[in-house]
Amino acid sequence: MGYPEVLAEPGSKVLMLGNVAVARACLEYGVGLASGYPGTPSSEVVEALAYAASKLGYPYVEWSVNEKVAFEVAYGAAISGVPSVVSMKHVGLNVAADPFFSSAYTGVEASLLVISADDPGMWSSQNEQDNRWYGVHAYIPVVEPAGAQEAREAALEALRLSGEVRHPVLLRLVTRVSHTRAPVTVGALGRPRLRGVFKSIPSRWNLIPAHARRLREELLERWRRIEDLVSRSELNVAEGPRDSQVVVIGVGVGYRYAREALRRLKAQVRLVKVTTPVPLPSKFVLGEVEGRDSVLVVEEGDPVFETMIKTLLQEVGLNTRVYGKRSGHLRATGELRLEDVEGAIAQVLGLGYRRPELLEATVKPPPRPPVLCPGCPYRSVFYAVRRAVKRLGLDVVYSGDIGCYSLAVNKPFNAQDTLIEMGGSVGLANGMSHVLGGRVVIATIGDSTFYHAGIPGLINAVYNKAPMMVLVLDNGVTAMTGHQPHPGSGFNAMGGEARRIPVEDVARGVGVDSVYVAEAFNPRDVEAKALSALRDVGEGKISVVIARGPCILMAMSRARAESIPRPSYVVDSSRCRGCMVCYKAFNCPAITPSGDGKITINKTLCTGCGVCERICPFNAIKPASYIDERWWNLLGLTTSSVGGG
Amino acid sequence: MASSESFNILIAGVGGQGVLTLSRIIGEASLASGLNVLVAETHGLSQRGGAVVVHVRIGDVDSPLVPLGEADLMIGLELLEVIRNIGYMRRGGFIVADRLIIPPSIPDVKTPSLDNVIEALRGLDVRLTVIPASEVAEKLGDVRVANVYLLGQAISITKLGSIIGFDGVVKVLRGLPNPELNLKAFKLGYMGGGFEC
């Protein structure tokens, strides 16, 4: 996918996502290295930088194997004097937390910008954690922009601050900043610093206790200096009457909601915009709050700023009232909404506020959860594995993981009994295997997630002998977040060729004796290999089944690029007996009941994967046209496995 | 558009229908008209065949999301998604939607009929236009241009026409892959008022 806007002419105003505005700021600053692991809503930062690198020849950009490594990649470059940036989603910082905390002790030689894109509302995540706490916890300053234009400015300022105090800085984005497209005026591209020098200073780079104790003292001193700097930052500003008894503080995107809400309420109230919430810019905040009756804090996520400002007021002996999420004026879960902020401000000001009465339809829509795409190789895999489990009469636990295959949590697959965090499938399966007696545990994990955090769990299973079947769903890319490459893809972030590290080699290398590779689009092959693997588990082995087949979206775009025709499939209604296996058990979105008790295939949705033909018990589904053998090759199928096409 | 005015649009549909593309077209055309615009997109998990909704706010706006009850226009690429987001509509606001229902891919799900859905929408205080956009788009050769067909209709019957302008949209469409087909669908949608039900 292209991001031409990241290279817009200096001075021009272009529409871009907040994430792309951050990428632009990195190029303007002259960042020499960028790393990350994909995750919604963060992915476009590294994607846009990779796009820029493919055009400019710089900076160095990579998708790393996980967030911890990504952090270390950028950290290593920054202590070697190259301004660097690392990007991840909020939960990714949990994975990177170890080096993150240490980086505050050592500091850096050149800028280190850590980007965390938080997901309030949990649009695409397992939790709603507010990563500003990480800044408080680790003594790393947090910069939090209000929108796309501000994201450019904030990222630039964060890079400058990091370079000035030689300390990492956390840029906290949220979904509505990352994924809102808005006009952004850009500046000139900077000269990148691509080569660095590492100065050996053992007392600084070696965190042995004796050094770390001294470094902690230095850290606290640096923290006071940073607090002073952010108190004078031009990113924190105030507008409106100086004498209003109520002050509204909008932190990050909270400022946008507060500003529009005040305008709609026609309220003459002092509005403070805070872009550097951590450490609390105390002098600036006191200057705005002293002498007022009350303060309303509008912030996305937890009441981080609200809590800190209360502490500050207590310390200086002020009894200004502080309202926000702790006081119940704003909801403590989900995203901010303009009408909620308007209601909260009206409440504090004692104004009447009525929400409009909402329209309601007499017809209720059925739920529409996200589903595996038509032609997704994983549908075929889950269908086949469930059949194998049934044939052996096993009572299994599916220990699930994070990725497209998470969608098998829904009916009819019900093949994700747990879904916790990246790599959790294999890790949890270890514990279950030791305590569940006869129940077989199947850990289902995607290829990217396997490289990310699945391998240590697998080694643990071999070492500590925890029999399980690990089903690796291998579609060749990190599909859910937009098809970013990983160590199994054969190419890298900048589009260059890369050494492929096949999952089966890793599995054998760590001592798994029972390893099977199956064609994902061939359910018979998957079923046969799952049967063998499950029998191996019954004998106390650890078994790995790799079901390989490309993400259908990638296969379709390659077919388009290489002019390979895709087949479409039709139902022979004289043969269809309405058994509904294809609809109810296989559940392809392109297949629906036709009304006469049989089924029909939607030719717009049908991708031509052909799996329905292979699973139909009555040979009632047929291709509508001749099939080009290259299409089967694209899907990773051998001609013999599909019965000659 | 006066400097203190704003226009709120909701684009609702199913992942893969071109909801994001449509929102970008409106965003680009707004920017080209010198207007402030915010396009709050849906990415990641929800995109996979799930319900997708994009908020587009034009003019004197700061916050990215359309408040409930304040959408001036909803462009619906699918009618169940129109119903799902009906709470966003302002009374008397415009809905321009495809005459299309895509049943969710859940076995044994109960989906209301096209007639029931349209009847339910007709009973509400909104100005409803339901047109066979995907049918026309399919005849044109690509169902994916249903989105610009609907945009054409919305431009011709709502204030959006005077805000971003017919020519403004044409300019943006010229920059898309397959501009001829997109332009054709857009112009047909613009003129296709006769499909009103």
Side-chain angles (χ1 to χ4, degrees):
Chain A
M1 199 155 74
Y3 293 87
E5 66 272 27
V6 78
L7 295 176
E9 282 299 307
S12 63
K13 192 189 213 179
V14 285
L15 207 60
M16 57 173 80
L17 294 174
N19 280 348
V20 178
V22 170
R24 173 68 185 210
C26 293
L27 297 172
E28 292 183 20
Y29 185 78
V31 158
L33 177 144
S35 56
Y37 184 79
T40 312
S42 73
S43 311
E44 296 80 5
V45 177
V46 170
E47 283 192 333
L49 285 167
Y51 174 86
S54 74
K55 301 287 172 193
L56 302 170
Y58 64 84
Y60 170 78
V61 182
E62 73 166 46
W63 286 119
S64 310
V65 73
N66 65 27
E67 292 88 352
K68 176 181 185 289
V69 173
F71 189 95
E72 289 156 349
V73 167
Y75 188 14
I79 67 174
S80 304
V82 170
S84 297
V85 47
V86 54
S87 168
M88 60 197 75
K89 69 182 293 175
H90 60 334
V91 288
L93 195 51
N94 301 337
V95 179
D98 205 349
F100 179 77
F101 278 75
S102 293
S103 69
Y105 278 65
T106 64
V108 285
E109 279 297 284
S111 307
L112 175 58
L113 182 65
V114 184
I115 298 165
S116 158
D118 295 5
D119 188 14
M122 294 177 271
W123 293 98
S124 217
S125 307
Q126 68 267 41
N127 79 18
E128 186 164 72
Q129 74 186 47
D130 185 330
N131 277 0
R132 292 176 301 170
W133 291 123
Y134 266 119
V136 177
H137 197 174
Y139 296 91
I140 289 178
V142 181
V143 177
E144 188 184 6
Q149 181 75 59
E150 291 100 325
R152 173 189 166 270
E153 268 80 85
L156 272 171
E157 193 49 41
L159 282 159
R160 279 189 210 111
L161 175 68
S162 176
E164 186 185 336
V165 290
R166 299 188 176 197
H167 196 83
V169 174
L170 179 63
L171 181 74
R172 186 222 188 193
L173 304 172
V174 293
T175 299
R176 298 306 175 184
V177 172
S178 287
H179 285 167
T180 296
R181 213 173 278 275
V184 176
T185 305
V186 299
L189 297 188
R191 235 171 99 163
R193 225 185 311 157
L194 302 167
R195 286 274 165 265
V197 179
F198 177 75
K199 284 178 243 159
S200 180
I201 313 168
S203 61
R204 184 173 176 200
W205 307 126
N206 292 291
L207 290 178
I208 57 170
H211 298 159
R213 284 184 201 112
R214 192 198 73 250
L215 288 169
R216 171 141 177 112
E217 298 288 341
E218 289 177 19
L219 167 61
L220 296 181
E221 207 165 290
R222 200 152 63 234
W223 193 240
R224 280 188 287 276
R225 188 176 152 219
I226 292 169
E227 187 182 323
D228 189 53
L229 284 172
V230 297
S231 264
R232 290 185 275 123
S233 170
E234 285 171 8
L235 295 177
N236 304 319
V237 290
E239 61 201 64
R242 289 193 153 275
D243 57 352
S244 73
Q245 280 313 301
V246 172
V247 178
V248 176
I249 298 181
V251 185
V253 74
Y255 164 78
R256 294 292 200 105
Y257 290 102
R259 185 164 190 258
E260 188 166 350
L262 286 170
R263 193 163 65 232
R264 283 155 59 104
L265 290 164
K266 297 188 173 61
Q268 293 299 310
V269 168
R270 185 77 165 166
L271 172 63
V272 177
K273 177 187 195 179
V274 172
T275 307
T276 69
V278 180
L280 185 69
S282 306
K283 280 176 217 137
F284 169 73
V285 170
L286 277 178
E288 288 298 334
V289 169
E290 212 165 355
R292 324 274 179 170
D293 286 342
S294 49
V295 173
L296 173 70
V297 180
V298 182
E299 58 192 319
E300 192 84 281
D302 288 336
V304 176
F305 200 82
E306 187 184 340
T307 305
M308 291 192 302
I309 202 172
K310 277 183 175 165
T311 310
L312 174 70
L313 292 175
Q314 158 81 24
E315 279 169 7
V316 299
L318 287 178
N319 56 4
T320 310
R321 303 285 309 180
V322 178
Y323 303 116
K325 295 188 174 178
R326 292 182 66 91
S327 67
H329 285 69
L330 286 161
R331 279 178 305 122
T333 67
E335 295 183 290
L336 291 171
R337 300 199 55 97
L338 180 56
E339 53 273 43
D340 291 348
V341 175
E342 213 172 338
I345 294 174
Q347 194 185 343
V348 172
L349 294 177
L351 302 172
Y353 174 68
R354 275 191 43 208
R355 287 162 193 258
E357 214 175 292
L358 304 184
L359 292 175
E360 247 182 277
T362 48
V363 170
K364 295 280 165 265
R368 191 192 303 277
V371 289
L372 297 171
C373 300
C376 176
Y378 297 170
R379 174 175 291 104
S380 163
V381 174
F382 283 115
Y383 173 83
V385 169
R386 281 177 53 93
R387 274 175 61 106
V389 167
K390 207 170 157 190
R391 276 180 63 176
L392 292 174
L394 294 175
D395 177 21
V396 303
V397 179
Y398 291 99
S399 182
D401 223 306
I402 311 264
C404 286
Y405 47 95
S406 298
L407 299 173
V409 69
N410 293 321
K411 280 197 290 190
F413 304 109
N414 300 323
Q416 302 274 283
D417 290 316
T418 59
L419 202 172
I420 312 292
E421 34 76 50
M422 292 288 287
S425 58
V426 189
L428 264 63
N430 274 265
M432 292 175 179
S433 171
H434 291 301
V435 302
L436 288 183
R439 278 189 91 178
V440 170
V441 187
I442 301 180
T444 64
I445 184 167
D447 41 357
S448 193
T449 310
F450 178 79
Y451 298 109
H452 176 285
I455 297 171
L458 183 61
I459 294 176
N460 194 67
V462 174
Y463 170 54
N464 287 308
K465 207 163 188 316
M468 67 176 75
M469 171 174 142
V470 179
L471 173 64
V472 182
L473 298 123
D474 183 0
N475 62 8
V477 286
T478 313
M480 176 68 91
T481 49
H483 304 113
Q484 294 83 4
H486 61 55
S489 302
F491 60 104
N492 62 28
M494 296 185 287
E497 251 183 69
R499 162 107 182 224
R500 248 190 93 232
I501 302 158
V503 174
E504 55 271 32
D505 289 3
V506 176
R508 289 190 189 109
V510 303
V512 178
D513 297 323
S514 161
V515 178
Y516 302 88
V517 181
E519 296 173 352
F521 285 102
N522 181 353
R524 235 170 298 165
D525 188 36
V526 176
E527 187 178 331
K529 284 166 180 160
L531 277 171
S532 302
L534 287 166
R535 288 194 186 104
D536 291 345
V537 176
E539 291 165 17
K541 288 185 188 163
I542 290 106
S543 181
V544 173
V545 177
I546 299 130
R548 181 167 292 141
C551 169
I552 194 70
L553 303 177
M554 293 287 276
M556 290 199 298
S557 77
R558 269 193 66 188
R560 262 195 302 278
E562 295 169 26
S563 302
I564 299 172
R566 280 191 288 119
S568 65
Y569 281 79
V570 289
V571 181
D572 177 349
S573 58
S574 69
R575 284 176 172 237
C576 176
R577 304 210 194 152
C579 71
M580 297 290 159
V581 162
C582 57
Y583 172 62
K584 287 191 179 173
F586 182 60
N587 198 227
C588 176
I591 299 176
T592 45
S594 56
D596 57 357
K598 297 179 178 179
I599 58 114
T600 174
I601 295 176
N602 177 323
K603 75 171 195 288
T604 312
L605 291 176
C606 176
T607 56
C609 76
V611 178
C612 56
E613 181 191 10
R614 276 154 241 156
I615 60 151
C616 176
F618 303 104
N619 292 320
I621 301 176
K622 289 283 165 217
S625 55
Y626 163 79
I627 301 174
D628 191 314
E629 209 167 291
R630 290 175 301 166
W631 172 242
W632 291 146
N633 294 338
L634 262 185
L635 298 186
L637 291 165
T638 46
T639 312
S640 60
S641 67
V642 290
Chain B
M1 180 171 220
S3 63
S4 64
E5 279 179 338
S6 63
F7 193 74
N8 293 322
I9 309 169
L10 215 68
I11 306 172
V14 179
Q17 277 195 303
V19 174
L20 285 186
T21 311
L22 180 54
S23 70
R24 270 188 89 162
I25 293 167
I26 298 173
E28 292 288 353
S30 306
L31 179 65
S33 304
L35 296 166
N36 179 43
V37 63
L38 298 171
V39 183
E41 302 182 352
T42 308
H43 290 221
L45 176 75
S46 333
Q47 268 180 290
R48 300 275 175 256
V52 172
V53 60
V54 175
H55 300 235
V56 183
R57 307 192 69 209
I58 307 172
D60 189 26
V61 295
D62 284 294
S63 66
L65 300 179
V66 174
L68 286 164
E70 297 195 30
D72 299 292
L73 165 67
M74 171 149 51
I75 300 180
L77 278 77
E78 198 273 347
L79 285 168
L80 294 175
E81 296 314 312
V82 170
I83 292 265
R84 195 182 316 282
N85 290 290
I86 199 70
Y88 280 103
M89 285 308 297
R90 184 192 294 288
R91 277 164 203 279
F94 285 87
I95 296 178
V96 176
D98 193 356
R99 193 183 171 81
L100 173 73
I101 285 192
I102 303 175
S105 292
I106 309 170
D108 297 323
V109 71
K110 286 204 173 36
T111 305
S113 74
L114 192 62
D115 289 344
N116 282 348
V117 169
I118 293 175
E119 200 184 302
L121 287 169
R122 271 195 188 146
L124 299 172
D125 180 12
V126 287
R127 282 176 266 187
L128 179 70
T129 305
V130 180
I131 44 177
S134 47
E135 214 180 292
V136 175
E138 216 169 331
K139 276 186 202 143
L140 289 177
D142 192 342
V143 70
R144 288 177 299 178
V145 296
N147 57 359
V148 290
Y149 180 87
L150 291 169
L151 176 61
Q153 178 67 191
I155 290 274
S156 89
I157 65 170
T158 75
K159 219 173 91 181
L160 186 62
S162 64
I163 296 171
I164 59 174
F166 181 89
D167 295 334
V169 176
V170 167
K171 229 178 261 171
V172 177
L173 294 181
R174 285 215 176 100
L176 290 185
N178 205 349
E180 295 80 20
L181 187 62
N182 274 294
L183 283 168
K184 205 166 160 189
F186 174 66
K187 287 176 182 167
L188 214 57
Y190 185 81
M191 296 179 301
F195 288 117
E196 279 169 52
C197 69

